[in-house]
Amino acid sequence: EMMKELSGLHVLESKLKDMLNLSEVIVVPGDSDQDVWVKNDMGKAAADRLKRQLSAKNIIAVTGGTTLASVAEMMTPIQKGQQLLFVPARGGLGEKVENQANTICSTMAQKANGEYRLLHLPDQLSKETYLSLMAEPGVKEVMELIHSAGIVLHGIGDAKTMAVRRNSNPSVLLKLEEEKAVAEAFGYYFDQQGEVVHRVRTIGLQLDELQNSDFIMAVAGGSSKSDAIAAFMKHGPKKVLITDEGAARQLLGNS
Ligand code: F6P
């Protein structure tokens, strides 16, 4: 806390909160684009903040990515008398196993002494497959849990970076370029105004269902993600953001 005071991080936090119309912002020192350990510090800050939010029974939906994987690594056991259930927010977004929402759920549950339920789905779903999977009892059950998640933890990515990381079709890459996509979260791609320009068809939490959760916390940093963070946050107010100084300074235009 004293270090934060001295380095002016609290000033960045409150400026960013106002600028992006958020309910809370936590900024950790450094830039995760430059130094890898900064991502772990964001992970720690997110895990600590999550702990303060917990009630007796909690259902937590999580997305994938390297940042959320860091959050998982930093989780610590919960208090006695608390129940935690982790579910993937969405299935099959084309990440490596270690960065998939399923893996992150199981790591979080293991570290926090909670439970988890998974969605086993292929990455590319045709409309027919999507509809028949949705009718599967096992999938339906997890879907109900996802829909009753009071807490959502998610990453935000740069649109192009994510599309390339997911080996998207050239036609998708072209579309994203034409539509000037800058951000990605939950399998949705957004332009600078926060409008959805493309989405990956997969089972799980849809963007308009986010508002049913009480506590939505994004964990995303690195100066290269500043446009993505700003665009995604236009999508709806009153969210919590855990970020780093690199992204914060870039966002506020004083890097
Ligand atoms: O693919 C899952 C996801 O959460 C995306 O929605 C997001 O853009 C990305 O991961 C963030 O990944 P990283 O934390 O590795 O930048």
Side-chain angles (χ1 to χ4, degrees), residues 39 63-69 93-95 99 101 154-158 161-162 165-166 183-188 219-221 225:
K39 209 175 260 185
T63 71
T66 59
T67 314
L68 266 291
L93 288 179
E95 294 276 17
N99 297 329
H154 72 93
I156 301 172
D158 167 71
T161 307
M162 290 313 298
R165 189 160 108 189
R166 288 173 177 155
E184 194 285 342
F186 300 100
Y188 289 76
V219 194
K225 279 194 189 179

mmCIF file of all heavy atoms in Angstrom, residues 39 63-69 93-95 99 101 154-158 161-162 165-166 183-188 219-221 225, ligand 1:
data_model
loop_
_atom_site.group_PDB
_atom_site.id
_atom_site.type_symbol
_atom_site.label_atom_id
_atom_site.label_comp_id
_atom_site.label_asym_id
_atom_site.label_seq_id
_atom_site.Cartn_x
_atom_site.Cartn_y
_atom_site.Cartn_z
ATOM 1 N N LYS A 39 2.437 -10.059 -14.755
ATOM 2 C CA LYS A 39 1.202 -10.828 -14.948
ATOM 3 C C LYS A 39 0.865 -11.612 -13.682
ATOM 4 O O LYS A 39 -0.299 -11.737 -13.301
ATOM 5 C CB LYS A 39 1.376 -11.777 -16.134
ATOM 6 C CG LYS A 39 0.072 -12.081 -16.837
ATOM 7 C CD LYS A 39 0.288 -12.922 -18.071
ATOM 8 C CE LYS A 39 0.261 -12.092 -19.325
ATOM 9 N NZ LYS A 39 0.349 -12.908 -20.535
ATOM 10 N N THR A 63 -13.075 -17.388 -17.787
ATOM 11 C CA THR A 63 -12.644 -17.589 -19.174
ATOM 12 C C THR A 63 -11.181 -18.050 -19.182
ATOM 13 O O THR A 63 -10.572 -18.232 -18.120
ATOM 14 C CB THR A 63 -12.793 -16.310 -20.038
ATOM 15 O OG1 THR A 63 -11.822 -15.356 -19.639
ATOM 16 C CG2 THR A 63 -14.185 -15.717 -19.926
ATOM 17 N N GLY A 64 -10.638 -18.224 -20.374
ATOM 18 C CA GLY A 64 -9.278 -18.716 -20.517
ATOM 19 C C GLY A 64 -8.254 -17.615 -20.718
ATOM 20 O O GLY A 64 -8.529 -16.443 -20.448
ATOM 21 N N GLY A 65 -7.081 -18.004 -21.197
ATOM 22 C CA GLY A 65 -6.009 -17.053 -21.487
ATOM 23 C C GLY A 65 -4.882 -17.141 -20.461
ATOM 24 O O GLY A 65 -5.039 -17.723 -19.391
ATOM 25 N N THR A 66 -3.758 -16.525 -20.811
ATOM 26 C CA THR A 66 -2.576 -16.613 -19.945
ATOM 27 C C THR A 66 -2.753 -15.793 -18.661
ATOM 28 O O THR A 66 -2.210 -16.150 -17.616
ATOM 29 C CB THR A 66 -1.309 -16.117 -20.673
ATOM 30 O OG1 THR A 66 -1.507 -14.746 -21.070
ATOM 31 C CG2 THR A 66 -1.003 -16.935 -21.915
ATOM 32 N N THR A 67 -3.511 -14.709 -18.740
ATOM 33 C CA THR A 67 -3.696 -13.872 -17.547
ATOM 34 C C THR A 67 -4.552 -14.603 -16.514
ATOM 35 O O THR A 67 -4.221 -14.623 -15.324
ATOM 36 C CB THR A 67 -4.342 -12.520 -17.921
ATOM 37 O OG1 THR A 67 -3.681 -12.002 -19.067
ATOM 38 C CG2 THR A 67 -4.229 -11.529 -16.778
ATOM 39 N N LEU A 68 -5.643 -15.214 -16.979
ATOM 40 C CA LEU A 68 -6.501 -15.972 -16.071
ATOM 41 C C LEU A 68 -5.749 -17.194 -15.529
ATOM 42 O O LEU A 68 -5.968 -17.602 -14.388
ATOM 43 C CB LEU A 68 -7.796 -16.372 -16.763
ATOM 44 C CG LEU A 68 -8.979 -15.416 -16.565
ATOM 45 C CD1 LEU A 68 -9.475 -15.450 -15.128
ATOM 46 C CD2 LEU A 68 -8.621 -13.974 -16.910
ATOM 47 N N ALA A 69 -4.829 -17.742 -16.341
ATOM 48 C CA ALA A 69 -4.007 -18.853 -15.857
ATOM 49 C C ALA A 69 -3.144 -18.364 -14.684
ATOM 50 O O ALA A 69 -2.936 -19.096 -13.707
ATOM 51 C CB ALA A 69 -3.147 -19.419 -16.978
ATOM 52 N N LEU A 93 -12.775 -22.121 -27.249
ATOM 53 C CA LEU A 93 -12.412 -20.873 -27.927
ATOM 54 C C LEU A 93 -11.059 -20.958 -28.639
ATOM 55 O O LEU A 93 -10.542 -19.964 -29.101
ATOM 56 C CB LEU A 93 -12.424 -19.705 -26.946
ATOM 57 C CG LEU A 93 -13.808 -19.224 -26.475
ATOM 58 C CD1 LEU A 93 -13.674 -18.086 -25.486
ATOM 59 C CD2 LEU A 93 -14.681 -18.808 -27.640
ATOM 60 N N GLY A 94 -10.514 -22.139 -28.713
ATOM 61 C CA GLY A 94 -9.279 -22.307 -29.485
ATOM 62 C C GLY A 94 -8.009 -21.910 -28.773
ATOM 63 O O GLY A 94 -7.113 -21.309 -29.364
ATOM 64 N N GLU A 95 -7.921 -22.229 -27.494
ATOM 65 C CA GLU A 95 -6.696 -21.942 -26.727
ATOM 66 C C GLU A 95 -5.924 -23.249 -26.501
ATOM 67 O O GLU A 95 -6.480 -24.348 -26.573
ATOM 68 C CB GLU A 95 -7.064 -21.357 -25.355
ATOM 69 C CG GLU A 95 -7.725 -19.992 -25.400
ATOM 70 C CD GLU A 95 -6.720 -18.853 -25.482
ATOM 71 O OE1 GLU A 95 -5.554 -19.097 -25.827
ATOM 72 O OE2 GLU A 95 -7.134 -17.707 -25.196
ATOM 73 N N ASN A 99 -4.181 -22.940 -21.252
ATOM 74 C CA ASN A 99 -4.869 -21.642 -21.196
ATOM 75 C C ASN A 99 -6.372 -21.737 -21.443
ATOM 76 O O ASN A 99 -7.046 -20.730 -21.622
ATOM 77 C CB ASN A 99 -4.252 -20.677 -22.215
ATOM 78 C CG ASN A 99 -2.793 -20.388 -21.897
ATOM 79 O OD1 ASN A 99 -2.410 -20.400 -20.736
ATOM 80 N ND2 ASN A 99 -1.990 -20.165 -22.914
ATOM 81 N N ALA A 101 -10.317 -22.406 -20.508
ATOM 82 C CA ALA A 101 -11.163 -22.140 -19.346
ATOM 83 C C ALA A 101 -11.330 -23.395 -18.479
ATOM 84 O O ALA A 101 -11.284 -23.311 -17.249
ATOM 85 C CB ALA A 101 -12.520 -21.612 -19.805
ATOM 86 N N HIS A 154 -12.816 -12.737 -16.100
ATOM 87 C CA HIS A 154 -12.490 -12.920 -17.512
ATOM 88 C C HIS A 154 -11.270 -12.123 -17.963
ATOM 89 O O HIS A 154 -10.877 -11.142 -17.327
ATOM 90 C CB HIS A 154 -13.703 -12.557 -18.370
ATOM 91 C CG HIS A 154 -14.002 -11.087 -18.426
ATOM 92 N ND1 HIS A 154 -13.512 -10.279 -19.429
ATOM 93 C CD2 HIS A 154 -14.703 -10.279 -17.607
ATOM 94 C CE1 HIS A 154 -13.932 -9.038 -19.221
ATOM 95 N NE2 HIS A 154 -14.660 -9.009 -18.115
ATOM 96 N N GLY A 155 -10.720 -12.551 -19.091
ATOM 97 C CA GLY A 155 -9.619 -11.843 -19.714
ATOM 98 C C GLY A 155 -10.144 -10.950 -20.832
ATOM 99 O O GLY A 155 -11.301 -11.043 -21.232
ATOM 100 N N ILE A 156 -9.280 -10.080 -21.299
ATOM 101 C CA ILE A 156 -9.580 -9.248 -22.474
ATOM 102 C C ILE A 156 -8.342 -9.332 -23.356
ATOM 103 O O ILE A 156 -7.215 -9.265 -22.852
ATOM 104 C CB ILE A 156 -9.818 -7.765 -22.095
ATOM 105 C CG1 ILE A 156 -10.982 -7.628 -21.113
ATOM 106 C CG2 ILE A 156 -10.068 -6.909 -23.356
ATOM 107 C CD1 ILE A 156 -11.135 -6.204 -20.553
ATOM 108 N N GLY A 157 -8.552 -9.462 -24.659
ATOM 109 C CA GLY A 157 -7.404 -9.528 -25.551
ATOM 110 C C GLY A 157 -7.516 -8.530 -26.680
ATOM 111 O O GLY A 157 -8.592 -7.996 -26.965
ATOM 112 N N ASP A 158 -6.393 -8.296 -27.329
ATOM 113 C CA ASP A 158 -6.361 -7.495 -28.555
ATOM 114 C C ASP A 158 -6.975 -8.372 -29.658
ATOM 115 O O ASP A 158 -6.673 -9.568 -29.750
ATOM 116 C CB ASP A 158 -4.897 -7.150 -28.854
ATOM 117 C CG ASP A 158 -4.719 -6.612 -30.247
ATOM 118 O OD1 ASP A 158 -5.159 -5.488 -30.491
ATOM 119 O OD2 ASP A 158 -4.162 -7.340 -31.094
ATOM 120 N N THR A 161 -4.517 -10.151 -32.195
ATOM 121 C CA THR A 161 -3.709 -11.133 -31.462
ATOM 122 C C THR A 161 -4.520 -12.400 -31.194
ATOM 123 O O THR A 161 -4.049 -13.521 -31.398
ATOM 124 C CB THR A 161 -3.241 -10.537 -30.114
ATOM 125 O OG1 THR A 161 -2.610 -9.289 -30.371
ATOM 126 C CG2 THR A 161 -2.292 -11.463 -29.387
ATOM 127 N N MET A 162 -5.755 -12.201 -30.741
ATOM 128 C CA MET A 162 -6.581 -13.357 -30.404
ATOM 129 C C MET A 162 -7.004 -14.134 -31.636
ATOM 130 O O MET A 162 -7.019 -15.364 -31.635
ATOM 131 C CB MET A 162 -7.804 -12.916 -29.600
ATOM 132 C CG MET A 162 -7.482 -12.451 -28.202
ATOM 133 S SD MET A 162 -6.365 -13.581 -27.326
ATOM 134 C CE MET A 162 -7.354 -15.071 -27.292
ATOM 135 N N ARG A 165 -4.015 -16.099 -32.688
ATOM 136 C CA ARG A 165 -3.739 -17.166 -31.706
ATOM 137 C C ARG A 165 -4.719 -18.327 -31.853
ATOM 138 O O ARG A 165 -4.379 -19.467 -31.600
ATOM 139 C CB ARG A 165 -3.827 -16.555 -30.309
ATOM 140 C CG ARG A 165 -3.356 -17.462 -29.185
ATOM 141 C CD ARG A 165 -3.007 -16.647 -27.956
ATOM 142 N NE ARG A 165 -3.976 -16.796 -26.893
ATOM 143 C CZ ARG A 165 -3.998 -16.054 -25.779
ATOM 144 N NH1 ARG A 165 -3.095 -15.098 -25.603
ATOM 145 N NH2 ARG A 165 -4.898 -16.238 -24.855
ATOM 146 N N ARG A 166 -5.927 -18.028 -32.294
ATOM 147 C CA ARG A 166 -6.949 -19.066 -32.477
ATOM 148 C C ARG A 166 -6.937 -19.684 -33.873
ATOM 149 O O ARG A 166 -7.857 -20.437 -34.213
ATOM 150 C CB ARG A 166 -8.329 -18.467 -32.241
ATOM 151 C CG ARG A 166 -8.578 -18.165 -30.811
ATOM 152 C CD ARG A 166 -9.861 -17.413 -30.609
ATOM 153 N NE ARG A 166 -10.093 -17.211 -29.198
ATOM 154 C CZ ARG A 166 -10.832 -16.233 -28.694
ATOM 155 N NH1 ARG A 166 -11.415 -15.379 -29.499
ATOM 156 N NH2 ARG A 166 -10.992 -16.126 -27.406
ATOM 157 N N ALA A 183 -10.920 -5.308 -29.818
ATOM 158 C CA ALA A 183 -10.943 -6.056 -28.557
ATOM 159 C C ALA A 183 -11.606 -7.412 -28.716
ATOM 160 O O ALA A 183 -12.416 -7.616 -29.634
ATOM 161 C CB ALA A 183 -11.711 -5.257 -27.505
ATOM 162 N N GLU A 184 -11.260 -8.307 -27.808
ATOM 163 C CA GLU A 184 -11.911 -9.613 -27.759
ATOM 164 C C GLU A 184 -12.107 -9.997 -26.300
ATOM 165 O O GLU A 184 -11.221 -9.834 -25.474
ATOM 166 C CB GLU A 184 -11.047 -10.660 -28.466
ATOM 167 C CG GLU A 184 -11.767 -11.967 -28.757
ATOM 168 C CD GLU A 184 -11.957 -12.846 -27.534
ATOM 169 O OE1 GLU A 184 -11.250 -12.632 -26.515
ATOM 170 O OE2 GLU A 184 -12.807 -13.737 -27.572
ATOM 171 N N ALA A 185 -13.290 -10.519 -25.999
ATOM 172 C CA ALA A 185 -13.562 -11.115 -24.682
ATOM 173 C C ALA A 185 -14.742 -12.069 -24.842
ATOM 174 O O ALA A 185 -15.640 -11.810 -25.652
ATOM 175 C CB ALA A 185 -13.901 -10.034 -23.664
ATOM 176 N N PHE A 186 -14.724 -13.178 -24.137
ATOM 177 C CA PHE A 186 -15.803 -14.182 -24.178
ATOM 178 C C PHE A 186 -16.072 -14.729 -25.583
ATOM 179 O O PHE A 186 -17.178 -15.181 -25.869
ATOM 180 C CB PHE A 186 -17.126 -13.587 -23.632
ATOM 181 C CG PHE A 186 -17.056 -13.117 -22.210
ATOM 182 C CD1 PHE A 186 -16.891 -11.769 -21.925
ATOM 183 C CD2 PHE A 186 -17.155 -14.019 -21.156
ATOM 184 C CE1 PHE A 186 -16.836 -11.318 -20.606
ATOM 185 C CE2 PHE A 186 -17.100 -13.577 -19.839
ATOM 186 C CZ PHE A 186 -16.947 -12.231 -19.570
ATOM 187 N N GLY A 187 -15.097 -14.643 -26.475
ATOM 188 C CA GLY A 187 -15.337 -15.097 -27.839
ATOM 189 C C GLY A 187 -16.024 -14.066 -28.713
ATOM 190 O O GLY A 187 -16.378 -14.345 -29.855
ATOM 191 N N TYR A 188 -16.229 -12.872 -28.194
ATOM 192 C CA TYR A 188 -16.821 -11.770 -28.960
ATOM 193 C C TYR A 188 -15.717 -10.783 -29.341
ATOM 194 O O TYR A 188 -14.835 -10.489 -28.526
ATOM 195 C CB TYR A 188 -17.859 -11.008 -28.126
ATOM 196 C CG TYR A 188 -19.132 -11.780 -27.865
ATOM 197 C CD1 TYR A 188 -19.160 -12.795 -26.921
ATOM 198 C CD2 TYR A 188 -20.302 -11.486 -28.567
ATOM 199 C CE1 TYR A 188 -20.332 -13.506 -26.678
ATOM 200 C CE2 TYR A 188 -21.475 -12.184 -28.326
ATOM 201 C CZ TYR A 188 -21.483 -13.195 -27.382
ATOM 202 O OH TYR A 188 -22.631 -13.888 -27.138
ATOM 203 N N VAL A 219 -9.438 -9.143 -15.876
ATOM 204 C CA VAL A 219 -8.023 -9.083 -15.533
ATOM 205 C C VAL A 219 -7.261 -8.979 -16.846
ATOM 206 O O VAL A 219 -7.248 -9.923 -17.637
ATOM 207 C CB VAL A 219 -7.573 -10.331 -14.734
ATOM 208 C CG1 VAL A 219 -6.205 -10.081 -14.095
ATOM 209 C CG2 VAL A 219 -8.600 -10.717 -13.674
ATOM 210 N N ALA A 220 -6.684 -7.818 -17.103
ATOM 211 C CA ALA A 220 -6.015 -7.587 -18.385
ATOM 212 C C ALA A 220 -5.039 -6.438 -18.250
ATOM 213 O O ALA A 220 -5.387 -5.385 -17.720
ATOM 214 C CB ALA A 220 -7.046 -7.250 -19.466
ATOM 215 N N GLY A 221 -3.819 -6.646 -18.711
ATOM 216 C CA GLY A 221 -2.824 -5.583 -18.631
ATOM 217 C C GLY A 221 -1.836 -5.638 -19.778
ATOM 218 O O GLY A 221 -1.972 -6.442 -20.707
ATOM 219 N N LYS A 225 -2.621 -3.691 -24.614
ATOM 220 C CA LYS A 225 -4.053 -4.008 -24.488
ATOM 221 C C LYS A 225 -4.906 -2.780 -24.174
ATOM 222 O O LYS A 225 -6.105 -2.920 -23.924
ATOM 223 C CB LYS A 225 -4.272 -5.038 -23.380
ATOM 224 C CG LYS A 225 -4.006 -6.476 -23.794
ATOM 225 C CD LYS A 225 -4.562 -7.441 -22.760
ATOM 226 C CE LYS A 225 -4.101 -8.856 -23.051
ATOM 227 N NZ LYS A 225 -4.615 -9.801 -22.043
HETATM 228 O O1 F6P B 1 -9.517 -17.044 -25.096
HETATM 229 C C1 F6P B 1 -9.911 -16.724 -23.798
HETATM 230 C C2 F6P B 1 -9.564 -15.307 -23.433
HETATM 231 O O2 F6P B 1 -10.061 -15.017 -22.145
HETATM 232 C C3 F6P B 1 -10.060 -14.275 -24.423
HETATM 233 O O3 F6P B 1 -11.425 -14.001 -24.304
HETATM 234 C C4 F6P B 1 -9.148 -13.111 -24.146
HETATM 235 O O4 F6P B 1 -9.073 -12.217 -25.225
HETATM 236 C C5 F6P B 1 -7.839 -13.827 -23.952
HETATM 237 O O5 F6P B 1 -8.147 -15.109 -23.443
HETATM 238 C C6 F6P B 1 -6.847 -13.126 -23.085
HETATM 239 O O6 F6P B 1 -5.686 -13.883 -23.092
HETATM 240 P P1 F6P B 1 -4.330 -13.395 -22.402
HETATM 241 O O7 F6P B 1 -4.641 -13.227 -20.959
HETATM 242 O O8 F6P B 1 -3.381 -14.520 -22.653
HETATM 243 O O9 F6P B 1 -3.933 -12.125 -23.070
#
